[in-house]
Amino acid sequence: MYSSATTILLTASFAFVNTQQIYIPARGPTIRPFCSATHAPSEPKYRFSSFSFTLNESVRTATSIPAPTITSTFALPYGSLSHLVPDLSTTTWGSWNPNDIATATDVDNPYGTAAWSALWVRANLTNFTATGIYTTTVSPTPVPSSELVLPPPDYFEPTDCYNFPEGFMFGVAGSAAQIEGAIAQEGRAPTLMEVLETGSNARDYITNENYYLYKQDIERIASMGVKYYSFSVVWTRILPFALPGTPVNQAGVDHYNDLINFVLEKGMTPIVTLLHFDTLLQFFANLSTVHDDALVGYVNGGYQNSTFEDAFVHYGKVVLTHYADRVPLWISFNEPLIYSDNGKSINSVVKAHARLWHFYHEELDGSGRFGIKLNDNFGVPRDPKNASDVFAANWFNEFQLATFCNPLLLGIDYSTSYKATILDYVPLNTSDLVYLKGTADFLGIDPYTATVVSAPSYGIASCAANSSDPLFPYCVNQSAITTNGWNIGYRSYSYVYLTPTYLREYLNYLYNTWRTPVFVTEFGFPVFGEADKAVIEDMLFDTPRSIYYLSFMSEILKSIWEDGVHEFSDYDTRFGLQTVNRTSQERRYKKSFFDLVDFVKARMPDEK
């Protein structure tokens, strides 16, 4: 929240949709149809006049969320659902520090303090820092009105006249590994995220101390007028020993209860993700394997472990029964492709997700929505008139999306691109497909940018058959350069390019291919060189990020009104809508946060 025409050798069934043209041949300068002759006289008329300073600075402030008047419930409370997760035992653990002299003596208890501490010893963390500034939850303080003054507007602003439809949801999001910190405190066990980063890379040991400052962070979000707050629950805070039959951490349950209740108290609605990359280390027999190259994605997330599916389903049931009465939107996995090691990983994710969807709707009788969110930096053909490039773009997108969307949304088999590339995939039979069909109430997507795609000269099939090929597993050329030699858009600090028109095309592709409401769940723009700016005011005035957000939101509006794409909601944020001073933990709003909230509120039907 704070401070990716040739002979076709393989046959495939790809879904094509009507989308906007990418390249339109044109000659001469830009046409200005909105400029009539009366607006552009042939000659200016020069004259003298008396001078005075006429520019005035308008002062507007953000409008905070009012106190809630009606509290909706989306399931029965935990007391009425506890029978769905029978025989749960609860306990508490303290905090762990490698420099502690005293050691636990309950060595005969398989889930006692000694066993819990042994999990941290096994993790063998590098340069571990136990605590930040805070060790207890901090009470919130009101945000002063001086912090809520909107920044000066940019000269060029959006010119659309559309409003968001009734029911459109807008909010901000953050994942636990990126913001919580307090990793070895109040019973939390180690996760993949602690051991994955090595060398000088940033670690999640302290981060923004949101675990203790969550009330202040929620206060700040509500003060900006944001209505939805999305966060992830840490599996190891709920079940430090991972597996069914192991005790639940009461401190973790209480923490997220308090967090959800405070979100509601401030007039906002919570959205919960069950797993945002932070897999428990118990799913790795040898911790050195976490650094091995994954066959499918980029990281070995442990999903292929034979015990993972049942353990994740049990964890999901524990969380759902405790919080489903107050949470209307649930996400099972965040971008599971990235952390899938092999075909067994994909199988675990797809089946675990479907089992929890059935549990939520059929056993728990939840009235909210349960879905999954995926990643794919939309592949567009380098030359849309070249059949080979078009095929390559579809291959690229289907490998990443249809692998999950086909079975979960349509009840059809995995994509051809996936099955032809990942030979250890687990086949789905007819019964599987019937059970899996329709088990996502929305298609969550993180559309950060677009990718220019073309087929390799030696063919996609040759690459798909060779796991040592440098282009494996997607087996296409990926670029940011268009046919005319220009970057696809303005470049950020990382892989993200400003590509709003491609976003609209992407939403068309998603909705028309899988016929499911699209949930834009993340996008963001890390401004180039922002961290190197010595003056805080320069960091706060982040115009490139504002342009990114507003142009993306404009294209979302066009996709709704002009293309008929059903998007029931949107929540955003990555790459910093606030600055965080890591010494004092002081938060400051950036210009882009004001601009984004103002854009949405000006276009919401109930905000007039």
Side-chain angles (χ1 to χ4, degrees), residues 31 110 148 152 169 175 193 199 201 210 228 266 307 326 354 381 384 422 438-439 451 459 502 538:
I31 298 173
L148 298 173
M169 297 180 289
S175 71
M193 305 310 292
N201 294 335
N210 171 265
Y228 290 83
K266 300 308 297 184
T307 64
R326 289 155 289 160
I422 307 302
T439 57
T451 305
Y502 294 91
D538 291 340

Side-chain angles (χ1 to χ4, degrees), residues 488-500:
I488 194 171
Y490 180 83
R491 184 180 180 182
S492 72
Y493 182 75
S494 66
Y495 66 92
V496 181
Y497 290 77
L498 206 167
T499 55

Side-chain angles (χ1 to χ4, degrees), residues 146-216:
S146 59
E147 280 196 52
L148 298 173
V149 177
L150 272 67
D154 290 323
Y155 187 78
F156 293 105
E157 295 188 307
T159 58
D160 64 273
C161 295
Y162 296 120
N163 286 334
F164 291 106
E166 293 285 349
F168 186 89
M169 297 180 289
F170 168 76
V172 298
S175 71
Q178 293 169 306
I179 65 173
E180 273 196 359
I183 63 163
Q185 297 177 37
E186 296 194 3
R188 181 190 183 282
T191 76
L192 173 62
M193 305 310 292
E194 281 82 72
V195 301
L196 192 62
E197 301 297 343
T198 59
S200 61
N201 294 335
R203 296 176 177 85
D204 66 343
Y205 300 171
I206 296 175
T207 62
N208 301 310
E209 298 195 64
N210 171 265
Y211 185 76
Y212 295 123
L213 292 171
Y214 68 90
K215 289 188 176 182
Q216 190 62 47

Side-chain angles (χ1 to χ4, degrees), residues 69 89 114 130 135 142 180 189 198 235 344 377 381 388 394 396 409 413 470 522 530 544:
T69 55
S89 63
T135 55
E180 273 196 359
T198 59
W235 188 344
K344 293 179 181 178
N377 293 319
S388 177
N394 277 291
F396 176 79
L409 299 178
D413 201 7
E522 281 184 33
E530 184 176 73

Side-chain angles (χ1 to χ4, degrees), residues 18 42 48 84-85 109 117 131 186 207 248 344 391 519 551 576 579 584 606:
N18 292 324
S42 57
F48 292 107
L84 297 176
V85 281
N109 184 346
S117 299
T131 61
E186 296 194 3
T207 62
V248 172
K344 293 179 181 178
F391 183 87
F519 189 2
S551 61
T579 60
S584 65
D606 61 345

Side-chain angles (χ1 to χ4, degrees), residues 259-278:
L259 192 159
I260 290 169
N261 289 339
F262 194 70
V263 169
L264 296 171
E265 180 183 328
K266 300 308 297 184
M268 296 190 294
T269 300
I271 302 171
V272 176
T273 297
L274 293 175
L275 184 63
H276 193 118
F277 298 153
D278 39 11

Side-chain angles (χ1 to χ4, degrees), residues 164-171 228 269-271 328-331 367-373 409 440-445 507 511 515-521 556 559-560 564-571 604:
F164 291 106
E166 293 285 349
F168 186 89
M169 297 180 289
F170 168 76
Y228 290 83
T269 300
I271 302 171
L329 278 165
W330 292 90
I331 295 167
S367 62
R369 284 170 282 197
F370 190 93
I372 191 170
K373 72 188 188 87
L409 299 178
D441 300 321
F442 53 80
L443 170 52
I445 196 69
L507 298 176
Y511 185 60
R515 307 300 175 100
T516 299
V518 178
F519 189 2
V520 180
T521 41
I556 288 174
S559 75
I560 293 172
V565 175
H566 182 192
E567 297 162 55
F568 71 83
S569 57
D570 175 279
Y571 72 81
M604 291 296 285

